[in-house]
């Protein structure tokens, strides 16, 4: 089956036959994030496809998943499938409206199976960022390989942060619009894990200070909060606006503004 025929068949299964993203993707061996993109584009009347950069990233993601699947146990694989199903349900309905039965159905398992891996709906909900942050961090490291200079790495960090949430909008809604306003969030291990996971941004700033490209008089913790705060605001606004425009549209301008405030002035 040619790639165009595969896309058309995948979209048809979701839109016409009523299959959920995960089930249709499983039938045709298509990553859920890719199929979600195709379905969204089709419903909006846009040409179904991806820019070359996104296709290359998807290939990297698929290759990494295939390599990973050869060594992980069945238990870990089942846990990952539950997480993926939960992202789809929580991302669409929100925490309060979502239920375990629907998540189990999307994962193709019995309700009780979920409780072998997660204590409760809340435990499953707060486990999502841990898994997705691991994915974010590992792929960011891949993108930063071969890039020299802290300022260039900041540009790549900005691009990849926005790209990651552009291709994972359901997770974006969970983290930015639902989880962060949950009163119990700051008391969870997930919150502590997320704080530790942004060490890459701090490492880039520290590297820039050592090489003389970034000012010495700035507090790296404050700068980390500023960078992430700006990027999270951009993503949140995009989600609240219904994802109607390209999240990457102004990434170069965002990078320029951030770098202008960070770069050292040389006489």
């Amino acid at each position: 089956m040619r790639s165009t025929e595969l896309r058309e068949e995948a979209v048809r299964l979701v839109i016409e036959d009523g299959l959920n993203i995960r089930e249709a993707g499983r039938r045709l061996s298509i990553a859920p994030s890719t199929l979600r993109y195709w379905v969204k584009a089709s419903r909006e009347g846009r040409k179904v496809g991806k820019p070359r950069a996104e296709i290359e990233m998807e290939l990297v993601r698929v290759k990494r998943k295939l390599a990973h699947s050869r060594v992980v146990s069945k238990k870990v694989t089942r846990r990952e499938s539950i997480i993926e199903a939960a992202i789809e349900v929580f991302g669409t309905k929100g925490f309060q409206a979502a239920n375990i039965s629907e998540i189990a159905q999307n994962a193709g398992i019995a309700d009780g199976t979920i409780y072998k891996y997660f204590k409760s709906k809340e435990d499953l909900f707060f486990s999502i960022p841990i898994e997705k942050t691991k994915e974010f961090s590992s792929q960011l490291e891949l993108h930063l390989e071969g890039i020299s200079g802290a300022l260039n790495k900041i540009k790549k960090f900005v691009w990849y942060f926005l790209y990651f949430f552009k291709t994972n909008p359901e997770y974006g809604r969970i983290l930015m619009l639902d989880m962060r306003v949950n009163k119990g969030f700051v008391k969870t291990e997930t919150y502590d894990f997320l704080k530790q996971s942004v060490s890459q941004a701090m490492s880039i700033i520290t590297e820039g200070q050592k090489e003389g490209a970034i000012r010495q008089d700035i507090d790296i913790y404050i700068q980390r909060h500023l960078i992430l705060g700006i990027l999270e605001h951009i993503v949140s606004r995009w989600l609240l606006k219904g994802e109607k425009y390209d999240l990457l549209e102004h990434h170069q301008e965002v990078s320029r503004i951030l770098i202008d405030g960070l770069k050292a002035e040389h006489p």
Side-chain angles (χ1 to χ4, degrees), residues 130-186:
I130 294 178
E131 300 302 323
K132 295 301 289 185
T133 300
K134 289 177 182 177
E135 178 185 340
F136 174 89
S137 298
S138 63
Q139 292 188 17
L140 176 60
E141 288 179 5
L142 186 66
H143 274 281
L144 292 176
E145 286 182 7
I147 296 179
S148 59
L151 299 183
N152 289 327
K153 289 181 179 179
I154 288 174
K155 293 178 184 178
K156 178 57 72 173
F157 182 91
V158 169
W159 177 87
Y160 181 68
F161 188 99
L162 298 177
Y163 169 80
F164 182 81
F165 284 101
K166 176 183 177 179
T167 54
N168 292 275
E170 288 84 3
Y171 172 57
R173 285 192 288 273
I174 291 170
L175 181 63
M176 306 289 185
L177 306 184
D178 204 353
M179 191 169 293
R180 289 197 182 280
V181 298
N182 188 301
K183 292 181 179 179
F185 178 53
V186 295

Side-chain angles (χ1 to χ4, degrees), residues 65-87:
K65 284 187 175 180
L66 287 174
H68 184 61
S69 66
R70 295 189 183 101
V71 297
V72 296
S73 66
K74 181 178 179 181
K75 182 176 181 179
V76 173
T77 302
R78 177 62 59 80
R79 189 177 192 278
E80 290 175 347
S81 70
I82 294 172
I83 289 286
E84 286 295 326
I87 289 173

Side-chain angles (χ1 to χ4, degrees), residues 171-228:
Y171 172 57
R173 285 192 288 273
I174 291 170
L175 181 63
M176 306 289 185
L177 306 184
D178 204 353
M179 191 169 293
R180 289 197 182 280
V181 298
N182 188 301
K183 292 181 179 179
F185 178 53
V186 295
K187 300 177 182 179
T188 64
E189 293 181 4
T190 301
Y191 179 75
D192 293 331
F193 181 84
L194 285 173
K195 287 197 300 183
Q196 296 171 6
S197 69
V198 295
S199 60
Q200 287 153 309
M202 294 176 60
S203 297
I204 294 173
I205 296 173
T206 301
E207 177 186 334
Q209 288 180 325
K210 289 180 179 179
E211 66 186 25
I214 290 179
R215 292 162 45 189
Q216 300 291 327
D217 62 337
I218 63 172
D219 185 298
I220 61 173
Y221 293 97
I222 293 176
Q223 290 302 317
R224 177 193 65 182
H225 289 314
L226 286 174
I227 292 172
L228 294 175

Side-chain angles (χ1 to χ4, degrees), residues 14-159:
V14 175
I15 295 179
E16 297 181 12
D17 293 359
L19 292 183
N20 61 59
I21 294 289
R22 185 162 189 81
E23 177 60 28
R26 183 160 43 212
R27 288 191 183 186
L28 298 176
S29 299
I30 299 172
S33 59
T34 298
L35 184 49
R36 278 193 289 269
Y37 183 93
W38 290 348
V39 170
K40 185 174 184 294
S42 178
R43 284 173 172 163
E44 293 175 353
R46 294 185 285 110
K47 184 178 180 180
V48 179
K50 284 191 175 185
R52 182 175 178 179
E54 294 189 30
I55 293 174
E56 291 175 349
M57 269 301 302
E58 189 59 44
L59 287 174
V60 170
R61 180 183 300 173
V62 170
K63 288 178 181 178
R64 289 174 68 88
K65 284 187 175 180
L66 287 174
H68 184 61
S69 66
R70 295 189 183 101
V71 297
V72 296
S73 66
K74 181 178 179 181
K75 182 176 181 179
V76 173
T77 302
R78 177 62 59 80
R79 189 177 192 278
E80 290 175 347
S81 70
I82 294 172
I83 289 286
E84 286 295 326
I87 289 173
E88 184 176 340
V89 175
F90 285 132
T92 302
K93 293 191 169 184
F95 175 74
Q96 295 298 334
N99 62 71
I100 289 294
S101 294
E102 187 171 0
I103 294 171
Q105 182 179 1
N106 277 19
I109 58 176
D111 294 11
T113 304
I114 290 181
Y115 294 105
K116 294 181 180 179
Y117 301 88
F118 304 96
K119 298 176 182 178
S120 62
K121 184 176 82 168
E122 187 174 69
D123 181 36
L124 172 56
F125 182 64
F126 286 126
S127 296
I128 291 172
I130 294 178
E131 300 302 323
K132 295 301 289 185
T133 300
K134 289 177 182 177
E135 178 185 340
F136 174 89
S137 298
S138 63
Q139 292 188 17
L140 176 60
E141 288 179 5
L142 186 66
H143 274 281
L144 292 176
E145 286 182 7
I147 296 179
S148 59
L151 299 183
N152 289 327
K153 289 181 179 179
I154 288 174
K155 293 178 184 178
K156 178 57 72 173
F157 182 91
V158 169
W159 177 87

